[in-house]
Amino acid sequence: RSWMFRRAPGFFDVVAYTGTGSQRTISHNLGAVPDLMFVKIRDTSDYWAVYHKDVGATKYLKLNDTDAVATSAIPWNDTSPTSSVFSVWTGATNTNNNEYVAFLFATLSGISKVGSYSGTGSNIDVDCGFTAGARFILIKRSDATADWYVYDSDRGIVSGNDPYLVINEQDAEVTNTDYIDPLNAGFTVTSSAPAGLNASGGNYIFLAIA
């Protein structure tokens, strides 16, 4: 299975650009301030650089790795994005003459939610402002090593076992765990979830789509 997203104002945009190796801004057509960005070099190998609003522009994560958040001004030029541009410097987001693609997401009321929560070890209700629950959920612990967990309603977001994938690996889906539950307003992270989803005091970022 795969997930496809169509450009839509206020929700999702895709930008392609050529790197310069110098501090710069890249224009986008999201029509809102990006809350989450994935940037990948297209013509050679490097990691997927991740920006999240609750992590900030002085830090970054790697979508294809389990690493905790790292501190560096380089990927985002130490500058938060705006409703018209995002900033890059060099390295994984702007090496001279290399080709890049950027995927930008924003929170759109009733449609998508980019946010974060603190782990408790008990059930956590994550309110996304939805009315019929989340159909797609991406979660990553940001303050420690952990996988990028993906759930979707096609596989099943139910009160019992919920199959999931980790997108930083090529492993088959896991089908025998109950780490999340449905919630009309968003989703619930259960008390049985591991440290990668719900450790007491842990910090977690997520993207949810209704």
Side-chain angles (χ1 to χ4, degrees):
R1 295 186 178 95
S2 60
W3 305 278
M4 304 295 177
F5 301 101
R6 185 171 61 183
R7 285 174 171 163
F11 163 55
F12 176 65
D13 191 30
V14 180
V15 179
Y17 62 95
T18 302
T20 64
S22 301
Q23 294 166 306
R24 63 188 290 211
T25 59
I26 307 294
S27 298
H28 66 80
N29 294 302
L30 184 60
V33 176
D35 293 325
L36 177 66
M37 300 189 294
F38 305 138
V39 175
K40 180 68 173 71
I41 195 168
R42 293 187 293 159
D43 52 355
T44 187
S45 60
D46 209 335
Y47 62 86
W48 287 78
V50 180
Y51 165 88
H52 188 284
K53 66 181 182 65
D54 294 335
V55 170
T58 63
K59 298 178 173 64
Y60 69 97
L61 290 154
K62 298 177 181 179
L63 188 63
N64 56 315
D65 209 325
T66 61
D67 291 356
V69 67
T71 300
S72 175
I74 290 176
W76 316 119
N77 196 23
D78 204 4
T79 305
S80 298
T82 73
S83 59
S84 58
V85 300
F86 63 94
S87 297
V88 293
W89 190 344
T90 187
T93 59
N94 191 36
T95 302
N96 190 38
N97 289 327
N98 286 121
E99 301 299 322
Y100 289 84
V101 62
F103 301 96
L104 285 59
F105 293 87
T107 295
L108 182 61
S109 180
I111 302 297
S112 59
K113 175 68 175 180
V114 178
S116 59
Y117 63 88
S118 296
T120 64
S122 301
N123 283 8
I124 302 171
D125 289 343
V126 181
D127 188 344
C128 301
F130 301 159
T131 58
R135 294 190 296 164
F136 175 93
I137 305 165
L138 170 68
I139 303 174
K140 170 73 169 78
R141 184 172 184 176
S142 59
D143 64 334
T145 299
D147 290 314
W148 291 83
Y149 290 82
V150 176
Y151 292 88
D152 62 65
S153 57
D154 187 44
R155 287 180 175 81
I157 298 175
V158 297
S159 58
N161 289 346
D162 313 278
Y164 69 85
L165 290 168
V166 291
I167 58 175
N168 50 279
E169 301 287 354
Q170 299 181 26
D171 298 343
E173 65 180 14
V174 178
T175 61
N176 61 346
T177 63
D178 184 18
Y179 296 160
I180 67 168
D181 278 338
L183 179 73
N184 283 342
F187 61 95
T188 296
V189 184
T190 70
S191 59
S192 63
L197 292 169
N198 190 12
S200 181
N203 298 322
Y204 301 85
I205 60 170
F206 71 87
L207 165 66
I209 300 174

